[in-house]
Amino acid sequence: MTDVQEARPRGARRWAIDVRPLRVPAYRRLWLGNTVAMFGFQFTAVAVPVEMYALTRDSFWVGLLGVAAFVPLLIFGLWGGAVADARDRRAVLLGGSLLLWASTLGLLLQALLDVGSPVLLLALMAVQSVAFAISSPARSAMLPRLVPEDLVASATTLNYTTFTAASVAGPLAAGLILAASPDTTVVLPIAYGLDAVLFTAMLWAALRLPSLPPEPTADGQARRAGLASVIDGFRYLATTPVLLLSFGVDLIAMILAMPRALFPEIANERFGGGGAVGLLYSAIAIGSMIGGLTSGWIGRLRRQGLGLVLAVVGWGLAIAAAGLARQLWLMVALLAVAGAADLISAVLRQSMLLVYAPDRMRGRLQGVNTVVVAGGPRLGDLRAGTMAAGFGGGVAWVAGGLASAVLVVVLAVAFPALLRYRAATASSGDRT
């Protein structure tokens, strides 16, 4: 691991995103490969539902894509975390990436051959989700072994910022491609093909990583990636209040305050539909990207537990305020504020998870994190839609944001371990 200890400059540049982790060659290659691959993945993320709707003319089938992606993620995310703790993480990342690439090539092939099978689309999405569930825990868990511990928060911020940038730019580029021709048999292969080509950057990055075998156990026995290993990870999490609470506040924020399922209804009722819904869907990601670009201070924050609680409370309050807005510009601005708060909370939670947990547990905890990050917003969609059916979209939006903020405060006060957490004491936990 390259030692990068130079002090950051004073003044306004102290608030700019910290790019010092990019001086570490292994991390730089991984960051670059992941950034290019994530941008390319957005083409597939847009093209698949477009193709499904073109085939079926039924939003129910489009909704099944979410089920096809989530169920494998829930199952294989936990197992993938156990594998990342028992095997060389570089090899796990490479294997999962190859499977992900193969699923993209499958999407490209079925589009070129004009197979026209909704069931095949669901199957390929399930395979893609399995591949992501295997590779994601390994990719995240290896971070503290690539950069110095004091740069983990900065490296995590870089990852999240480029992810949100890809989430903004990728769909826009995909939209331009899909709008180039009304004939989906022409534009869909282009979208899938671009994803397949760009994903080779991730394969290159994984190949260039150093070997990252699991650290030896105290008794010298090899680790196994079975059910017992997964249960052991949950047992560790249950006895670690700081990490357990960090997952808890994130679930509260996503389940109670994620408003995206309400965007179509609110856009239509308050702003006449049209382009308003697109602005609402992009506002949170734009705020996260701006928050990341001005995140230089996050790496210097020592009271990370308190910072996490404040960020999640800020998310809930900003969401509630946005739900009260009657002007489109104001709602978008408040959602952007919420997005910035979400970026801060995500970086702090991930940094705490990577630094506090011992290396032997990082893969399994990242597997849990993968399930939480993917499942929380989907449960939030269900909560918002169900509540809106009974009380209206406005009530579901505002009440969810306020309830999230209040419940997080109650949880933090009732269990103060999270509030007491400081980055300087992160190394006091078990590290063997």
Side-chain angles (χ1 to χ4, degrees), residues 89-243:
R89 286 172 183 161
R90 171 185 174 272
V92 176
L93 174 61
L94 184 58
S97 298
L98 284 170
L99 182 58
L100 191 57
W101 191 46
S103 68
T104 304
L105 292 176
L107 288 167
L108 172 60
L109 184 61
Q110 63 87 33
L112 288 171
L113 297 177
D114 196 19
V115 175
S117 170
V119 174
L120 179 59
L121 274 183
L122 292 175
L124 289 170
M125 285 302 295
V127 172
Q128 193 171 77
S129 184
V130 169
F132 177 79
I134 293 172
S135 61
S136 182
R139 182 171 54 247
S140 298
M142 66 175 58
L143 189 59
R145 294 175 64 177
L146 297 180
V147 301
E149 185 174 297
D150 65 316
L151 292 183
V152 168
S154 298
T156 301
T157 305
L158 279 168
N159 290 344
Y160 275 108
T161 303
T162 51
F163 170 77
T164 55
S167 298
V168 174
L172 293 176
L176 292 175
I177 292 173
L178 295 176
S181 171
D183 187 355
T184 57
T185 60
V186 174
V187 293
L188 287 173
I190 295 175
Y192 295 136
L194 283 172
D195 183 11
V197 170
L198 293 174
F199 193 79
T200 58
M202 186 68 244
L203 299 177
W204 163 79
L207 283 169
R208 293 294 305 277
L209 285 172
S211 178
L212 297 168
E215 294 182 347
T217 60
D219 56 8
Q221 297 294 317
R223 295 196 179 104
R224 299 183 181 276
L227 179 60
S229 178
V230 174
I231 294 174
D232 189 37
F234 277 112
R235 186 181 297 116
Y236 172 81
L237 182 60
T239 58
T240 312
V242 168
L243 300 183

Side-chain angles (χ1 to χ4, degrees), residues 363-421:
R364 278 164 285 184
L365 293 180
Q366 287 301 324
V368 175
N369 185 56
T370 299
V371 173
V372 168
V373 170
R378 287 170 171 81
L379 292 175
D381 291 342
L382 178 62
R383 189 280 314 169
T386 302
M387 193 171 176
F391 302 97
V395 172
W397 185 321
V398 176
L402 292 176
S404 168
V406 170
L407 192 54
V408 166
V409 171
V410 171
L411 186 67
V413 172
F415 303 96
L418 186 58
L419 291 175
R420 291 197 299 259
Y421 177 85

Side-chain angles (χ1 to χ4, degrees), residues 302-380:
R302 290 292 167 246
R303 298 200 63 179
Q304 291 185 346
L306 176 61
L308 173 60
V309 171
L310 292 177
V312 176
V313 171
W315 154 270
L317 293 178
I319 290 295
L324 295 172
R326 298 291 169 173
Q327 294 80 31
L328 180 59
W329 69 267
L330 180 58
M331 181 173 285
V332 169
L334 289 168
L335 286 173
V337 171
D342 185 49
L343 180 281
I344 295 168
S345 69
V347 168
L348 291 176
R349 183 169 50 81
Q350 179 75 331
S351 300
M352 291 163 60
L353 182 60
L354 289 173
V355 172
Y356 191 94
D359 185 74
R360 63 183 177 83
M361 284 290 176
R362 284 178 183 144
R364 278 164 285 184
L365 293 180
Q366 287 301 324
V368 175
N369 185 56
T370 299
V371 173
V372 168
V373 170
R378 287 170 171 81
L379 292 175

